[in-house]
Amino acid sequence: MNQFKSHTVNGMIYGVAASILWGSYPLWYKPLHSLNAYSLLSWRIVFAELFLILLIIFSGRIYKIKQALQEVKIKYIFVVAFILGLWWWLYIYGIMTNRILEAAFGYFLSPVMSMAVSRFIFKEEINKIQKLAIIIAVFGVFLMAIYLLNMQTFPWIAITIGFCYSFYGIFKKQVPGDSVIIQAMEVLVLLPFALAFLIYSYYIGEIHIFMQDTKIDLLLVSTGIITVLPLWWYSQAAKNLTVIILSFIQFIPPTCNFLLAYFVYKEPVPMVKFFAFCLIWLALIIFMSNSIIIKRKKV
């Protein structure tokens, strides 16, 4: 029982840390507005793979590569790589086009999708209080969708991000092996496309040239670090937590995005949208409080 508790606590720490770092992404990407979304995504993939390789070397994981190749199902690697590429591009595009709140809405959608999957596919049990939290969250998401549709703006970024984020966590539970090596494999699938685009950009004269702007140089390099760390942490969380708990942890990044969009980037937040966010936060508080009480009773 103590071992179960330890795994759960460690999973929560990894999951929350990953989510907070994900939620801070606008602070890293907004200063890179001079680059288009494709260029920024390509550089992010290149530096992410570089740091993953360095992490594998310096953490002594090289000997685990052969075992990982024997255990992993390649089809899952390609599926997760596709999800990652689409997810990263949409989120970057949303930030670059001043649609941080719509991107945040996508992250709010994903827990609802994950909870539905966890109930009907993984058969995870949900008690009455957790059901109440889910109903409140669904209602908040519904209000947000109605608001966006009334604004005659189909929330395609939000819906796609929601699917990507939720299914990323689900598929990660199906991929065994060392999380760092697995992530290196996933990003490696995307690397040829990123390099091809950067080479093309070089020939048409639109690539960022290093050593001309130190701030941009450092931010581009840091995109690799802020990509690797939360993915690594979230992989650890996914292996130690249920899909339901992971689903509610997923509310943290959009909450951070919401606060940044409103207080830092001054995006307008109408009352309906604010009320929808409040409902989702209330659902998060109810669900997490109930989960903590349940865990304590099991100890």
Side-chain angles (χ1 to χ4, degrees):
M1 191 65 68
N2 287 333
Q3 186 178 9
F4 173 80
K5 179 182 177 182
S6 176
H7 285 312
T8 301
V9 171
N10 288 338
M12 289 290 291
I13 292 173
Y14 279 120
V16 171
S19 297
I20 291 175
L21 188 49
W22 271 326
S24 72
Y25 275 3
L27 295 174
W28 304 82
Y29 291 145
K30 271 288 189 179
L32 294 169
H33 59 85
S34 60
L35 282 69
N36 62 48
Y38 296 105
S39 295
L40 182 49
L41 173 62
S42 298
W43 284 120
R44 179 182 183 182
I45 291 169
V46 169
F47 285 118
E49 186 65 13
L50 174 62
F51 281 110
L52 281 166
I53 292 172
L54 291 175
L55 185 57
I56 289 172
I57 294 172
F58 289 106
S59 61
R61 285 180 163 86
I62 294 180
Y63 72 94
K64 295 182 178 180
I65 294 177
K66 182 178 180 180
Q67 180 183 356
L69 289 172
Q70 293 173 341
E71 294 178 348
V72 74
K73 292 183 178 180
I74 299 299
K75 65 179 181 180
Y76 285 129
I77 295 294
F78 277 88
V79 169
V80 173
F82 173 78
I83 292 172
L84 278 179
L86 181 59
W87 168 19
W88 290 353
W89 178 78
L90 281 170
Y91 187 58
I92 292 170
Y93 178 78
I95 292 174
M96 296 300 197
T97 55
N98 298 316
R99 297 163 79 173
I100 298 176
L101 285 176
E102 185 177 341
F105 178 48
Y107 284 107
F108 277 131
L109 277 175
S110 64
V112 178
M113 297 174 183
S114 296
M115 286 183 282
V117 171
S118 70
R119 183 67 183 91
F120 294 107
I121 296 181
F122 294 104
K123 308 299 182 183
E124 293 182 1
E125 294 297 324
I126 302 174
N127 62 37
K128 291 181 179 179
I129 295 178
Q130 291 172 336
K131 287 180 181 178
L132 173 63
I134 291 172
I135 291 172
I136 294 173
V138 170
F139 186 62
V141 168
F142 176 75
L143 282 180
M144 185 72 73
I146 293 297
Y147 168 78
L148 289 174
L149 290 174
N150 285 339
M151 294 295 291
Q152 297 182 338
T153 302
F154 184 73
W156 64 274
I157 293 178
I159 291 173
T160 311
I161 286 178
F163 273 108
C164 290
Y165 192 23
S166 58
F167 278 96
Y168 176 77
I170 291 168
F171 274 104
K172 289 302 288 186
K173 292 182 75 68
Q174 310 302 315
V175 182
D178 186 273
S179 58
V180 176
I181 295 175
I182 298 302
Q183 285 163 27
M185 292 180 184
E186 293 162 359
V187 179
L188 184 61
V189 173
L190 300 173
L191 188 60
F193 300 98
L195 291 175
F197 180 81
L198 291 174
I199 292 171
Y200 169 75
S201 298
Y202 174 78
Y203 277 106
I204 65 174
E206 293 184 359
I207 195 172
H208 170 72
I209 305 299
F210 280 81
M211 306 300 290
Q212 292 183 355
D213 189 320
T214 303
K215 180 181 178 181
I216 292 180
D217 293 348
L218 291 175
L219 284 171
L220 281 176
V221 173
S222 69
T223 60
I225 299 175
I226 65 173
T227 296
V228 170
L229 284 180
L231 286 175
W232 179 22
W233 294 339
Y234 192 77
S235 296
Q236 296 299 314
K239 293 177 180 179
N240 293 304
L241 300 175
T242 66
V243 174
I244 291 291
I245 295 178
L246 281 174
S247 299
F248 270 85
I249 287 177
Q250 288 170 4
F251 281 133
I252 296 175
T255 299
C256 296
N257 287 172
F258 175 89
L259 295 174
L260 289 173
Y262 183 68
F263 290 106
V264 179
Y265 301 113
K266 309 301 180 183
E267 288 191 25
V269 184
M271 187 56 65
V272 174
K273 188 181 288 188
F274 181 75
F275 183 62
F277 277 118
C278 287
L279 285 175
I280 295 171
W281 291 330
L282 175 62
L284 173 61
I285 293 171
I286 292 174
F287 188 94
M288 296 308 295
S289 299
N290 182 252
S291 297
I292 292 171
I293 292 172
I294 291 174
K295 296 300 179 185
R296 286 179 176 176
K297 288 181 179 179
K298 289 183 178 180
V299 177

